[in-house]
Structures are given as C-alpha cells and as structure tokens.
Coordinates of all heavy atoms in Angstrom, one line a residue:
M47 N -0.1 1.9 -6.3 CA 0.5 0.7 -5.7 C 1.9 0.9 -5.2 O 2.3 0.6 -4.1 CB 0.4 -0.4 -6.8 CG 0.9 -1.7 -6.3 SD 0.7 -3.0 -7.5 CE 1.9 -2.5 -8.8
L48 N 2.7 1.5 -6.1 CA 4.1 1.8 -5.7 C 4.2 2.8 -4.6 O 5.0 2.7 -3.7 CB 4.9 2.3 -7.0 CG 5.3 1.2 -8.0 CD1 5.8 1.9 -9.3 CD2 6.5 0.4 -7.4
G49 N 3.4 3.9 -4.8 CA 3.5 5.0 -3.8 C 3.2 4.5 -2.4 O 3.8 4.9 -1.4
G50 N 2.1 3.7 -2.3 CA 1.7 3.2 -1.0 C 2.8 2.3 -0.3 O 3.1 2.5 0.8
V51 N 3.3 1.3 -1.1 CA 4.3 0.4 -0.5 C 5.6 1.1 -0.2 O 6.2 0.9 0.8 CB 4.5 -0.8 -1.4 CG1 5.6 -1.7 -0.9 CG2 3.2 -1.6 -1.6
L52 N 6.0 2.0 -1.2 CA 7.3 2.6 -1.0 C 7.3 3.7 0.1 O 8.3 4.0 0.8 CB 7.8 3.3 -2.3 CG 8.2 2.3 -3.4 CD1 8.6 3.0 -4.6 CD2 9.3 1.4 -2.9
A53 N 6.1 4.3 0.4 CA 6.0 5.2 1.5 C 6.3 4.5 2.8 O 7.0 5.0 3.7 CB 4.6 5.8 1.6
M54 N 5.8 3.2 2.9 CA 6.1 2.5 4.1 C 7.5 2.0 4.1 O 8.2 2.0 5.1 CB 5.1 1.3 4.2 CG 5.2 0.5 5.5 SD 4.8 1.5 6.9 CE 5.7 0.8 8.2
T55 N 8.0 1.5 3.0 CA 9.3 0.9 2.8 C 10.4 1.9 3.2 O 11.3 1.7 4.0 CB 9.6 0.4 1.4 OG1 8.6 -0.6 1.1 CG2 10.9 -0.2 1.3
L56 N 10.4 3.1 2.5 CA 11.4 4.1 2.7 C 11.1 5.1 3.8 O 12.0 5.5 4.6 CB 11.7 4.8 1.3 CG 12.0 3.9 0.2 CD1 12.2 4.6 -1.1 CD2 13.3 3.1 0.5
G57 N 9.9 5.6 3.8 CA 9.5 6.7 4.7 C 9.6 6.2 6.2 O 10.1 6.8 7.0
D58 N 9.0 5.0 6.4 CA 9.0 4.5 7.8 C 10.4 4.1 8.2 O 10.7 4.3 9.4 CB 8.1 3.2 7.9 CG 8.0 2.7 9.3 OD1 7.4 3.3 10.1 OD2 8.7 1.6 9.5
A59 N 11.2 3.6 7.3 CA 12.6 3.3 7.7 C 13.3 4.6 8.1 O 14.1 4.6 9.1 CB 13.3 2.7 6.5
A60 N 13.1 5.7 7.4 CA 13.7 7.0 7.7 C 13.2 7.5 9.1 O 14.0 8.0 9.9 CB 13.5 8.0 6.6
A61 N 11.9 7.4 9.3 CA 11.3 7.8 10.5 C 11.9 7.1 11.7 O 12.2 7.7 12.7 CB 9.8 7.7 10.5
S62 N 12.0 5.8 11.6 CA 12.5 5.0 12.7 C 14.0 5.3 13.0 O 14.4 5.5 14.1 CB 12.3 3.5 12.4 OG 12.9 2.7 13.4
T63 N 14.8 5.4 11.9 CA 16.2 5.6 12.1 C 16.5 7.0 12.7 O 17.2 7.2 13.6 CB 16.9 5.5 10.7 OG1 16.7 4.2 10.2 CG2 18.4 5.7 10.9
V64 N 15.8 8.0 12.1 CA 16.0 9.4 12.6 C 15.5 9.5 14.0 O 16.1 10.2 14.8 CB 15.4 10.4 11.6 CG1 15.4 11.8 12.2 CG2 16.1 10.4 10.3
G65 N 14.3 9.0 14.2 CA 13.7 9.1 15.5 C 14.6 8.5 16.6 O 14.7 9.0 17.7
L66 N 15.2 7.3 16.4 CA 16.0 6.7 17.4 C 17.3 7.4 17.6 O 17.8 7.5 18.7 CB 16.3 5.2 16.9 CG 15.2 4.2 17.0 CD1 15.6 2.9 16.4 CD2 14.7 4.0 18.5
R67 N 17.9 7.9 16.5 CA 19.2 8.6 16.6 C 19.2 10.0 17.0 O 20.0 10.6 17.7 CB 20.0 8.3 15.3 CG 20.3 6.9 15.0 CD 21.1 6.7 13.7 NE 21.5 5.4 13.5 CZ 22.6 4.8 13.9 NH1 23.5 5.6 14.6 NH2 22.9 3.6 13.6
L68 N 18.2 10.7 16.4 CA 18.2 12.2 16.5 C 16.9 12.7 17.2 O 16.8 14.0 17.4 CB 18.3 12.8 15.2 CG 19.5 12.4 14.3 CD1 19.4 13.1 12.9 CD2 20.8 12.9 15.0
G69 N 16.0 11.8 17.7 CA 14.8 12.3 18.3 C 15.0 13.1 19.6 O 15.5 12.5 20.5
R70 N 14.6 14.3 19.6 CA 14.8 15.2 20.8 C 13.5 15.8 21.2 O 13.4 16.3 22.3 CB 15.8 16.3 20.5 CG 17.2 15.9 20.1 CD 17.9 15.2 21.3 NE 19.3 14.9 21.0 CZ 19.6 13.7 20.4 NH1 18.7 12.8 20.2 NH2 20.9 13.4 20.1
R71 N 12.4 15.7 20.4 CA 11.2 16.3 20.7 C 10.1 15.2 20.7 O 9.4 15.1 19.7 CB 10.8 17.5 19.7 CG 11.9 18.6 19.8 CD 11.6 19.6 18.7 NE 12.5 20.7 18.7 CZ 13.8 20.7 18.2 NH1 14.2 19.6 17.6 NH2 14.6 21.7 18.3
P72 N 9.9 14.5 21.8 CA 8.9 13.4 21.8 C 7.5 13.9 21.9 O 7.2 15.0 22.4 CB 9.3 12.6 23.0 CG 9.9 13.6 23.9 CD 10.6 14.6 23.0
Y73 N 6.5 13.2 21.4 CA 5.1 13.5 21.6 C 4.4 12.1 21.8 O 4.8 11.1 21.4 CB 4.5 14.2 20.4 CG 4.6 13.5 19.1 CD1 3.5 12.6 18.7 CD2 5.6 13.7 18.2 CE1 3.5 12.0 17.5 CE2 5.6 13.0 17.0 CZ 4.6 12.2 16.7 OH 4.6 11.5 15.4
A74 N 3.3 12.2 22.6 CA 2.5 11.1 22.9 C 1.6 10.7 21.8 O 1.0 11.6 21.1 CB 1.7 11.3 24.2
T75 N 1.4 9.4 21.5 CA 0.5 9.0 20.5 C -0.4 7.9 21.1 O -0.6 7.9 22.4 CB 1.3 8.4 19.3 OG1 0.3 8.0 18.3 CG2 2.1 7.2 19.7
L76 N -1.1 7.1 20.3 CA -2.0 6.2 20.8 C -1.4 5.2 21.8 O -0.2 4.8 21.7 CB -2.7 5.4 19.7 CG -3.5 6.3 18.7 CD1 -4.1 5.4 17.6 CD2 -4.6 7.0 19.3
G77 N -2.2 4.7 22.7 CA -1.7 3.7 23.6 C -0.6 4.1 24.6 O 0.1 3.2 25.1
G78 N -0.5 5.4 24.8 CA 0.6 5.8 25.7 C 2.0 5.7 25.1 O 3.0 6.0 25.8
R79 N 2.1 5.4 23.8 CA 3.4 5.3 23.1 C 3.9 6.7 22.8 O 3.1 7.7 22.7 CB 3.3 4.4 21.9 CG 2.7 3.1 22.1 CD 3.6 2.2 22.9 NE 3.0 0.9 23.2 CZ 3.2 -0.2 22.4 NH1 4.0 -0.1 21.4 NH2 2.6 -1.3 22.7
T80 N 5.2 6.8 22.5 CA 5.8 8.1 22.1 C 6.5 8.0 20.8 O 7.1 6.9 20.5 CB 6.8 8.6 23.2 OG1 7.8 7.7 23.3 CG2 6.1 8.9 24.5
K81 N 6.4 9.0 20.0 CA 7.2 9.2 18.8 C 7.9 10.5 18.8 O 7.7 11.3 19.8 CB 6.4 9.0 17.6 CG 5.7 7.6 17.5 CD 5.4 7.1 16.1 CE 4.8 5.7 16.2 NZ 4.6 5.1 14.8
S82 N 8.7 10.9 17.8 CA 9.4 12.1 17.9 C 9.1 13.0 16.7 O 8.8 12.5 15.6 CB 10.9 11.9 17.9 OG 11.4 11.4 16.7
L83 N 9.1 14.3 16.9 CA 8.9 15.2 15.8 C 9.9 15.0 14.7 O 9.6 15.1 13.5 CB 9.0 16.6 16.3 CG 8.9 17.8 15.3 CD1 7.5 17.7 14.6 CD2 9.1 19.1 15.9

C-alpha cells in the first residue's frame, strides 16, 4: 500500500521536475506525447 502510493507521490514528482528542468533526451510515448530519459 505504501510502496504503491509513495512511488507515485515521490517518484512521479521527481520525474516531472527533472524532466522539465533537465530533460535533454526526449522519446515518444503513447498518443504522440513525449517524455525524457
């Protein structure tokens, strides 16, 4: 229960923050959207 919720709480926050500020290697994902390595 904790692992699942905290993975989204902390991990996703880190992914979004780092991706927006430091993302240099984009890749395509579903729906034509892009995320970063």
Side-chain angles (χ1 to χ4, degrees):
M47 182 174 68
L48 280 167
V51 174
L52 290 180
M54 187 65 207
T55 300
L56 303 177
D58 180 73
S62 176
T63 302
V64 171
L66 288 174
R67 293 178 177 271
L68 302 175
R70 298 293 183 271
R71 298 172 179 84
Y73 62 87
T75 183
L76 300 179
R79 307 293 178 92
T80 59
K81 300 208 174 185
S82 71
L83 176 61

